[in-house]
DNA sequence: ATCTTACATTGACGGTCATCAATGTGTCAG
DNA sequence: CTGACACATTGATGACCGTCAATGTAAGAT
């Protein structure tokens, strides 16, 4: 469970070039990319993500997100876990609060893949 | 049903800038982006897409994709429809064969959104 | 020690999805 | 006209997902 982040970042840096124009991709790579995209492919998670990136990865506690999106706290917790497991954001527990920050490498990898050049 | 492509391309060009760093996004925009991402968030569809882009949008018939991915023809047809409905690719029927090509604007929009700068 | 706060976990429910076999539809060849 | 081909559609099945209420857990405050 705790190795998902490491795996994601590791595979992200291991991938040399994975553009859509570089020929057909294999089943394994498709599976990995689909996992990241699946984590993104939800309106609520996109909004949660945008709230994190908008605040410059500063103090972001789940209670604020709960109020602003109109969803319950377990739902926020569930979505955050999905984003973390996909390697898109990281979670750092400081005292009682959880601080989230994005993983730029993951987004680089996705943008790289979606690049038709 | 047939207006999905027009809608997708229209909204794609209507969006001025939708980067993740440009502050929290609204529910409507999140919904639209999630639809495109959901179409991408499947291993089989990613592989199908890579086969189209790899051949430079040339002669691509579903039967070839069926053999190479090891899935049945209805499944290929189903996935292709999803990609077309999401506005990621277009379909042109020439005679008996269907020719597919990517919609660069859709990918530009996604890359733009995933850009942390 | 007790209470509050911040978040995780569990269990359940309704909805959506990927896949296939079977069948339908339209197109070209002989 | 008939048969073969390329693809769409339908219906069914098993799996997964988003959401919530209820409950658990761990840390700080009093």
């Amino acid at each position: 469970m705790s190795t998902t982040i490491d795996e994601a970042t590791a595979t992200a840096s291991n991938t040399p070039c994975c553009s859509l124009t570089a020929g057909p991709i294999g089943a394994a790579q498709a599976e990995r990319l689909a996992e990241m995209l699946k984590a993104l492919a939800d309106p609520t998670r996109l909004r949660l993500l945008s709230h994190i990136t908008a605040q410059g990865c500063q103090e972001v506690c789940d209670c604020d997100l709960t109020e602003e999106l109109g969803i319950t706290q377990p739902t926020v917790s569930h979505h955050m876990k999905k984003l973390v497991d996909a390697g898109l954001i990281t979670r750092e527990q400081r005292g009682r609060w959880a601080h989230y920050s994005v993983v730029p490498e993951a987004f680089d990898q996705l943008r790289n893949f979606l690049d038709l050049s």
Side-chain angles (χ1 to χ4, degrees), chain A residues 22-113:
Chain A
I25 61 177
Q29 189 177 356
E31 206 87 36
R32 280 188 35 255
L33 284 164
E35 261 185 62
M36 304 180 70
L37 290 167
K38 219 176 293 183
L40 276 163
D42 180 82
T44 306
R45 280 195 290 271
L46 287 177
R47 297 186 68 189
L48 289 171
L49 234 181
S50 71
H51 272 83
I52 295 176
T53 56
Q55 304 216 0
C57 318
Q58 276 185 24
E59 321 271 328
V60 184
C61 80
D62 296 22
C63 51
D64 293 343
L65 303 169
T66 299
E67 291 179 5
E68 240 172 308
L69 295 194
I71 54 182
T72 61
Q73 174 266 322
T75 304
V76 173
S77 186
H78 169 245
H79 285 311
M80 290 311 224
K81 180 173 167 52
K82 286 227 162 187
L83 288 172
V84 170
D85 284 351
L88 298 173
I89 65 175
T90 55
R91 205 187 95 99
E92 184 195 359
Q93 186 95 24
R94 281 208 290 265
R96 290 190 278 192
W97 289 272
H99 297 248
Y100 299 96
S101 43
V102 294
V103 178
E105 294 83 7
F107 290 85
D108 289 347
Q109 184 178 0
L110 286 176
R111 289 208 330 277
N112 204 359
F113 174 72

